[in-house]
Amino acid sequence: MCGRFSVSGGMFSEMVSEEIGCVFKAEENLDLRPSQTVSTIIYVQGSVEQQDVQWGIHPNWAKKQIINAQAETVNEKKTFHHAMQNHRCLIPCNGWFEWHDEGAPRKQKYLFSHRDERPFYMAGIWFPGDTPQLVTLTTAANEICRPYHDRMPVLIPTKSAWKWLEDNITAITPLLKANNKLPISVNAVH
């Protein structure tokens, strides 16, 4: 689920800067993949700022890289608990990709984007270090996404961005559920 997403430059970065209230300049990557650098927004000492991090973590016990965590259990898992409490981030994106089996030899690729061509803000948690890393959060798919995949990214509404970044777990828990009113457009990619 959500193993690739899209980030464009220029106007996209300007929209994010305006909506969130910080300087944001992402490098364009229309097919961003795990282990690549992701521009995020973090909360630091009363303000928000951009931080570039690597997508995915590789704990000692894991056989492969972990790129997502389930929102329903993220705060209970030892691997994620501290980051969920102290290091939440927003991942601005144009949309994300899913592949759906439609009986053809290859699965069909779909782009899930904002109907009004605005940024989406995926919820994530980040891990400080010499090379900061992040994991995106997923939740059960809403009505729009469910026909294509049973999971989707946790999407934080713009008006709740600061709440997500700075508030306590109890206050942000309602943001972890899928929202059926999100203006999501689904388009086949050829």
Side-chain angles (χ1 to χ4, degrees):
M1 189 299 28
C2 192
R4 305 250 185 101
F5 59 94
S6 175
V7 175
S8 62
M11 287 298 294
F12 170 79
S13 290
E14 290 178 27
M15 283 189 274
V16 172
S17 296
E18 182 181 303
E19 290 179 356
I20 303 300
C22 72
V23 176
F24 186 81
K25 292 186 179 182
E27 283 192 36
E28 182 169 273
N29 187 338
L30 302 179
D31 192 16
L32 206 147
R33 302 162 183 240
S35 79
Q36 291 182 328
T37 300
V38 179
S39 295
T40 69
I41 297 171
I42 63 170
Y43 179 79
V44 179
Q45 300 176 347
S47 65
V48 293
E49 63 185 48
Q50 178 175 333
Q51 175 162 301
D52 294 340
V53 301
Q54 182 181 15
W55 184 14
I57 63 171
H58 200 161
N60 293 338
W61 55 264
K63 292 180 180 174
K64 61 181 185 173
Q65 186 180 48
I66 298 171
I67 61 168
N68 298 322
Q70 293 186 348
E72 299 87 344
T73 59
V74 67
N75 199 43
E76 301 162 14
K77 304 284 184 179
K78 185 177 177 182
T79 301
F80 307 122
H81 179 78
H82 180 76
M84 185 64 179
Q85 295 284 324
N86 300 291
H87 300 292
R88 293 186 297 271
C89 64
L90 294 170
I91 301 114
C93 68
N94 296 86
W96 73 96
F97 299 102
E98 294 295 351
W99 285 257
H100 188 254
D101 188 351
E102 298 179 346
R106 298 185 67 161
K107 291 183 178 183
Q108 174 63 54
K109 183 178 181 181
Y110 286 92
L111 172 64
F112 295 74
S113 59
H114 197 292
R115 191 177 317 129
D116 300 325
E117 298 183 7
R118 304 294 307 172
F120 276 133
Y121 298 97
M122 295 193 310
I125 54 176
W126 65 281
F127 300 81
D130 292 338
T131 302
Q133 300 171 319
L134 84 94
V135 170
T136 57
L137 301 185
T138 67
T139 191
N142 67 10
E143 293 171 359
I144 297 167
C145 301
R146 197 172 304 122
Y148 304 91
H149 202 285
D150 61 347
R151 306 288 297 169
M152 67 179 284
V154 172
L155 300 172
I156 305 298
T158 306
K159 67 180 188 219
S160 301
W162 278 69
K163 178 179 188 144
W164 168 255
L165 293 169
E166 68 176 333
D167 233 330
N168 64 48
I169 292 295
T170 304
I172 60 103
T173 298
L175 297 174
L176 297 173
K177 299 202 181 328
N179 181 344
N180 282 317
K181 296 179 182 174
L182 290 169
I184 298 174
S185 176
V186 183
N187 294 291
V189 178
H190 301 284

